[in-house]
Structure formats: structure tokens, C-alpha cells
């Protein structure tokens, strides 16, 4: 009779496919043979493929800039009017209250662990209270707020939660390229609606409406605008909402520059004017508080008629993928939002407006350039009359040559899906703005070639002869 140990051994061997201790090696050998047979299904060499998602994801700005030949003039210090980071040159610094809030959190040692994926309740309550100034029609609370790793992460979650592969979203042209970067990886089509420069970059509402179909999942509205610096009027926002309501299309509102509004202009959030259109509003600390590297953004769910009940759950699900933003910044957020003095905000906006006035007044006097005065944000778009710069094929050539001769780098309009424009940033120091504009003037004077009057007369005469001969 087999002992208890032998019985147990036999039972285990039987369970794994062995029917006797004497045949113990067989299942191992058979398993190895099976694995060897299965391996022939795969290509027996290292050949790791890129995922479809990664392959479809690209950044248009990165692709365009990487394709440029950026070689500065070694005799002139580089002035980068291209970087959308207000901290780059050290002239714009966060308020002491912002830094003190972070120092206190570090010293307290209470926020070194993980936070809930949607953010600490205290931080979300602070965002809800901070956003109440917008006079939103429906009161919001912490449950309507999701904290994210920067505003770009907020936009990413919104697009992923609201649109499926094969659907489309509507984005501004010119507009921030991140929308396309975030959407196309998911197989979501981006349709660009036109902004009208002659009307302060307002949306071409007829064109916007033409793009809407049964597969349109959302309209992205950027206000104030990057790259245009425009601030929409109350009536224009109501007109946008009317179109969205008529077609039952929700809006993703990129409002990261909500407080960068120059005196004389008034800002209205989308949610403050929306009675029926559900809005996902994206904001954060990046720009107004001058701490972009702290990566703290948020989504505020402004639901209407329960339209976002499923989307709200989707945002909760997606937030679990990255487990929320930096916990230290979350811990400091209530104090940052409450204690930062209004004087800090006002002085920052005043500085940006002064820089905009300087750049506009200088650039408008340069033949071949037409700057469009911004109403807010921290950018200015400048139209190039390319027919007066015949040696350059397009604004890409113009930008490359400007760097090579004058060491001034502006982003070409193609980075924002528009031709014949360049974008400059207004956050650089005042003296640098002045020097950059002087260098741009010198460059344009060296390359400006308006059509000669004699040539125009010859062309008119030739055309007249052709007409009379006919």
C-alpha cells in the first residue's frame, strides 16, 4: 500500500498530466516540445513593432521645427520668440505666496503619498470655489472637478472620454497643435474650422457649422486663443453655443488662458453662458501662476440635462490610468488659489499688454508685415506679405533665413495649420522684444522686394493688347 506521501505525490503528478512517478520526465519534455512548436508561429528574431496608437500619434510643431535648418548667426545672441513657456527668460516669476504654499507642503510631509486618481477632495473643492467667479449657470462642486497632470492631460482625457475611433472633433485653424496630437492616435478625425483674422480671429460660424455631421463628437473652443491672442465677445460665444445646441454637439473649452485678458476686453467662460450645451472646461495653474513645470491642470464637468452622465464615468475611468497629478502640488493648491494676491495677476497682465503694444507698434511700421493686435494670452500673430519677399518660397524659408541672419526665431504659421503667418511670444523681457523687432525690421528691409511699377505697367499693357487683339 502506498504511503500518504506517495499518494499525494501521485495525485499532484496526475494533476499536471503525469500518470506515474516512473514517467516523471515526460510531461516536462512534452511541454518543451510544445513550446518549441509554438515558437515557430513567431518570427524567430527580434522584431518588435510600434503600436498603431503610437504610429498615428505625432506633434505637428515638432515635425515642422525638426525639419527646419535652424543655424543662428554666431555674431548675434539668439532671441527665441517661439517658446510658450513664460518662465524661460526668468523675467516673470511666481508670487511668493505660491512658492510659500509649496514650501509649507514639503515641510509638513503630509503629501508624499498617492492621491486619489481624480485628486484630493480639498484640492478639488478649492478649484470649484476658484471657478465660481465665472458666474456659471449651474453651481459646481468637488464632484465636478477632476485634477490632471497639466492642461494638456485634461484635454487628453476629455477627447478620449467623448470621442470614438471613426468620429471627428472640430478644432480651430489656426490653433494649438496638441488637439491633433491627442486625437489622431485614437483614430479620431480632426476637422479644422477657420478663424477670421480681419475680425479679431473670431470663428467663421458658417464654416464651423458646415463641418458638423452625425459623427461629430465635440467642438474644441480655445478662448483666449493660442496662437492668436483673441478673446471672444459675449455675443460671439452665444452664437457658438447656439450652433452647438442646434446640433446637440458638446463643447470642450480650452480655457487655460482664462485670466490673461488685457484691459478693455471682457472674458466670458463658455459654461457661464451655456444653458443647454454641456461643457468640459479645461484649465490649470500653468500660465496664470507661472509654474508650468508643476503640471497641475483640471477638468470641470458642466453638465446640462444629464447629458454627461456616461462621460463623467468615462473621465473617472481614464483618470485611473495615470493615478492623478503630483500630490505635493495638490496639497499646495488650496493656498495657492486662495492667497495669491490680485496685484500679482494684474501686474502680469499689464506686462504682457505692454509687450504687445511695443511689438505691435514696431512691427506695423515694417513693410511686408501686418501684426494683429492680441486682446489677451501671450502671443501675437503676424501676417507676411509673401509676394513682397519673392526670394522665400513660404514662411518656413522666411523663418530659417531670419534665424540665419538675425538669430531671431519665430514659429511659422504651418505649426498652427495656417500659411503666411508667424507667431511671436510676448513673455520675453522688454529689451529683448525691442531688439528682436529691430532685427526683424533690418531683415525685412534687406529682403523686401515690392513689385516694380514699371513691371506692373508692362503687365497691364500686355493684358490690354491681348484683350484688344481678341
Amino acid at each position: 500500500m502506498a504511503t500518504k506521501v506517495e499518494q499525494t505525490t501521485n495525485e499532484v503528478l496526475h494533476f499536471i498530466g503525469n500518470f506515474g512517478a516512473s514517467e516523471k520526465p515526460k510531461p516536462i519534455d512534452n511541454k518543451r516540445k510544445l513550446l518549441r512548436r509554438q515558437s515557430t508561429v513567431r518570427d524567430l528574431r527580434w522584431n518588435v513593432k510600434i503600436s498603431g496608437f503610437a504610429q498615428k500619434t505625432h506633434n505637428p510643431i515638432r515635425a515642422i521645427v525638426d525639419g527646419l535648418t535652424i543655424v543662428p548667426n554666431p555674431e548675434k545672441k539668439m532671441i527665441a520668440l517661439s517658446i510658450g513657456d513664460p518662465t524661460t527668460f526668468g523675467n516673470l516669476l511666481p508670487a511668493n505666496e505660491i512658492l510659500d504654499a509649496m514650501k509649507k507642503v514639503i515641510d509638513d510631509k503630509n503629501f508624499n503619498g498617492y492621491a486619489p486618481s481624480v485628486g484630493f477632495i480639498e484640492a478639488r473643492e478649492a478649484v470649484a470655489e476658484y471657478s465660481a467667479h465665472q458666474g456659471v449657470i449651474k453651481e459646481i462642486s468637488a464632484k465636478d472637478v477632476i485634477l490632471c497632470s497639466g492642461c494638456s492631460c485634461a484635454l487628453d482625457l476629455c477627447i478620449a472620454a467623448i470621442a470614438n475611433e471613426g468620429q471627428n472633433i472640430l478644432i480651430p485653424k489656426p490653433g494649438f497643435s496638441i488637439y491633433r496630437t491627442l486625437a489622431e492616435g485614437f483614430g479620431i478625425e480632426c476637422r479644422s474650422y477657420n478663424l477670421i483674422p480681419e475680425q479679431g480671429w473670431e470663428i467663421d460660424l458658417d464654416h464651423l457649422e458646415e463641418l458638423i455631421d452625425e459623427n461629430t463628437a465635440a467642438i474644441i473652443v480655445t478662448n483666449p486663443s493660442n496662437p492668436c491672442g483673441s478673446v471672444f465677445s459675449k455675443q460671439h460665444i452665444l452664437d457658438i453655443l447656439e450652433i452647438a445646441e442646434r446640433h446637440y454637439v458638446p463643447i470642450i473649452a480650452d480655457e487655460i488662458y482664462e485670466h490673461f485678458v488685457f484691459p478693455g476686453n471682457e472674458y466670458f467662460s463658455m459654461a457661464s453662458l451655456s444653458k443647454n450645451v454641456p461643457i468640459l472646461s479645461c484649465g490649470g495653474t500653468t500660465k496664470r501662476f507661472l509654474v508650468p513645470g508643476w503640471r497641475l491642470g483640471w477638468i470641470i464637468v458642466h453638465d446640462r440635462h444629464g447629458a454627461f452622465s456616461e462621460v463623467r464615468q468615462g473621465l473617472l475611468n481614464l483618470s485611473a490610468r495615470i493615478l492623478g497629478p503630483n500630490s505635493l502640488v495638490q496639497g499646495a493648491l488650496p493656498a495657492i488659489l486662495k492667497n495669491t494676491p490680485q496685484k500679482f495677476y494684474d501686474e502680469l497682465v499689464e506686462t504682457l499688454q505692454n509687450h504687445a503694444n511695443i511689438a505691435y507698434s514696431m512691427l506695423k511700421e515694417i513693410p511686408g508685415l501686418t501684426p494683429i493686435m492680441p486682446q489677451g494670452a501671450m502671443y501675437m500673430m503676424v501676417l507676411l506679405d509673401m509676394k513682397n519677399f519673392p526670394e522665400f518660397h513660404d514662411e518656413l524659408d522666411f523663418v530659417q533665413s531670419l534665424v540665419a541672419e538675425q538669430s531671431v526665431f519665430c514659429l511659422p504659421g504651418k505649426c498652427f495649420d495656417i500659411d503666411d503667418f508667424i507667431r511671436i511670444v510676448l513673455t520675453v523681457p522688454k529689451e529683448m522684444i525691442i531688439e528682436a523687432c529691430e532685427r526683424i525690421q533690418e531683415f525685412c528691409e534687406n529682403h523686401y522686394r515690392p513689385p516694380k511699377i514699371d513691371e506692373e505697367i508692362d503687365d497691364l499693357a500686355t493684358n490690354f493688347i491681348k484683350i484688344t487683339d481678341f
Side-chain angles (χ1 to χ4, degrees):
M1 179 178 292
T3 65
K4 189 174 236 182
V5 173
E6 290 172 336
Q7 284 182 336
T8 303
T9 301
N10 288 335
E11 288 172 2
V12 171
L13 291 172
H14 179 74
F15 179 78
I16 64 173
N18 192 2
F19 297 97
S22 61
E23 300 175 337
K24 186 174 179 181
K26 284 188 176 180
I28 298 175
D29 289 343
N30 290 338
K31 186 175 181 180
R32 286 175 178 163
K33 289 178 181 177
L34 177 61
L35 290 174
R36 283 197 293 270
R37 285 198 299 272
Q38 289 176 337
S39 70
T40 61
V41 177
R42 294 177 60 89
D43 189 357
L44 292 181
R45 60 191 174 93
W46 285 110
N47 188 22
V48 183
K49 301 290 187 181
I50 184 176
S51 72
F53 178 80
Q55 194 169 34
K56 290 184 288 188
T57 300
H58 73 289
N59 187 321
I61 290 182
R62 190 74 270 151
I64 291 169
V65 172
D66 287 349
L68 295 176
T69 302
I70 304 299
V71 182
N73 183 339
E75 298 180 0
K76 295 188 177 184
K77 185 177 179 180
M78 183 72 163
I79 300 178
L81 299 181
S82 57
I83 305 172
D85 181 345
T87 70
T88 298
F89 296 93
N91 57 311
L92 300 177
L93 300 172
N96 289 332
E97 289 81 0
I98 297 171
L99 301 176
D100 290 343
M102 182 62 102
K103 292 173 185 176
K104 184 177 186 304
V105 166
I106 294 172
D107 290 340
D108 288 347
K109 303 179 180 64
N110 292 325
F111 291 91
N112 293 326
Y114 290 123
S117 62
V118 294
F120 288 119
I121 183 68
E122 298 85 359
R124 289 156 53 214
E125 287 174 344
V127 172
E129 182 179 352
Y130 170 78
S131 300
H133 72 278
Q134 297 176 352
V136 292
I137 293 173
K138 182 180 177 183
E139 186 178 347
I140 60 173
S141 65
K143 68 178 178 60
D144 301 308
V145 177
I146 295 173
L147 300 184
C148 309
S149 183
C151 190
S152 58
C153 176
L155 292 164
D156 186 26
L157 295 188
C158 289
I159 292 171
I162 213 167
N164 289 304
E165 183 176 3
Q167 289 188 292
N168 64 77
I169 60 172
L170 309 188
I171 63 175
K173 175 184 180 179
F176 189 28
S177 67
I178 194 71
Y179 309 134
R180 191 176 298 278
T181 300
L182 298 174
E184 291 184 341
F186 292 113
I188 299 165
E189 178 190 0
C190 290
R191 297 182 176 181
S192 300
Y193 59 82
N194 293 329
L195 306 182
I196 307 172
E198 299 84 3
Q199 297 179 16
W201 298 109
E202 286 190 341
I203 295 173
D204 183 336
L205 297 173
D206 291 335
H207 187 223
L208 173 71
E209 192 160 14
E210 287 173 6
L211 297 175
I212 298 174
D213 64 15
E214 66 277 6
N215 289 320
T216 302
I219 302 170
I220 293 183
V221 177
T222 317
N223 182 47
S225 168
N226 174 14
C228 303
S230 56
V231 179
F232 292 154
S233 68
K234 180 178 181 179
Q235 185 55 55
H236 192 58
I237 292 175
L238 289 172
D239 291 340
I240 298 166
L241 289 168
E242 190 275 329
I243 292 173
E245 181 175 351
R246 185 150 32 86
H247 293 277
Y248 294 92
V249 180
I251 288 176
I252 298 173
D254 182 352
E255 297 176 329
I256 189 64
Y257 294 98
E258 60 178 338
H259 298 287
F260 276 38
V261 178
F262 299 160
N265 302 280
E266 189 172 2
Y267 168 75
F268 296 91
S269 69
M270 297 296 297
S272 70
L273 300 177
S274 174
K275 295 180 180 179
N276 296 307
V277 179
I279 310 286
L280 295 177
S281 177
C282 300
T285 60
T286 299
K287 307 299 183 183
R288 191 186 196 197
F289 298 90
L290 301 178
V291 286
W294 290 13
R295 309 307 299 142
L296 197 291
W298 54 71
I299 302 167
I300 303 177
V301 181
H302 298 279
D303 202 355
R304 301 291 185 268
H305 310 294
F308 273 160
S309 58
E310 292 186 12
V311 169
R312 189 188 294 269
Q313 183 59 52
L315 290 170
L316 295 177
N317 295 347
L318 291 170
S319 68
R321 296 180 71 244
I322 59 170
L323 300 179
N326 186 289
S327 59
L328 290 172
V329 185
Q330 289 188 57
L333 189 60
I336 290 173
L337 298 181
K338 182 178 181 180
N339 298 335
T340 304
Q342 185 64 40
K343 181 182 178 182
F344 166 76
Y345 304 135
D346 294 342
E347 289 178 351
L348 175 57
V349 170
E350 182 182 0
T351 296
L352 293 174
Q353 185 181 37
N354 287 339
H355 290 186
N357 288 334
I358 290 169
Y360 180 78
S361 63
M362 294 183 71
L363 295 176
K364 74 176 183 178
E365 300 300 325
I366 301 175
L369 302 189
T370 304
I372 300 176
M373 182 65 186
Q375 300 162 304
M378 47 188 238
Y379 310 102
M380 179 185 291
M381 292 290 278
V382 182
L383 175 65
L384 309 178
D385 190 352
M386 294 306 300
K387 72 176 183 295
N388 289 321
F389 299 101
E391 64 188 282
F392 304 125
H393 175 68
D394 55 19
E395 85 271 11
L396 297 179
D397 286 347
F398 185 98
V399 165
Q400 289 180 134
S401 296
L402 179 60
V403 173
E405 295 182 25
Q406 298 292 341
S407 295
V408 175
F409 183 33
C410 310
L411 282 185
K414 283 184 174 58
C415 291
F416 308 101
D417 199 23
I418 191 170
D419 295 331
D420 300 339
F421 277 89
I422 56 174
R423 188 200 75 173
I424 67 172
V425 300
L426 304 170
T427 55
V428 301
K430 176 182 176 180
E431 61 275 11
M432 198 174 287
I433 284 275
I434 294 173
E435 183 176 354
C437 290
E438 290 174 344
R439 292 191 199 176
I440 292 172
Q441 179 177 3
E442 181 180 345
F443 176 82
C444 289
E445 289 174 349
N446 290 338
H447 296 279
Y448 183 73
R449 301 287 185 273
K452 294 180 180 179
I453 295 178
D454 291 344
E455 292 176 358
E456 291 180 348
I457 293 174
D458 289 343
D459 289 341
L460 289 173
T462 301
N463 291 333
F464 177 76
I465 293 171
K466 288 180 179 178
I467 294 170
T468 53
D469 286 347
F470 178 78

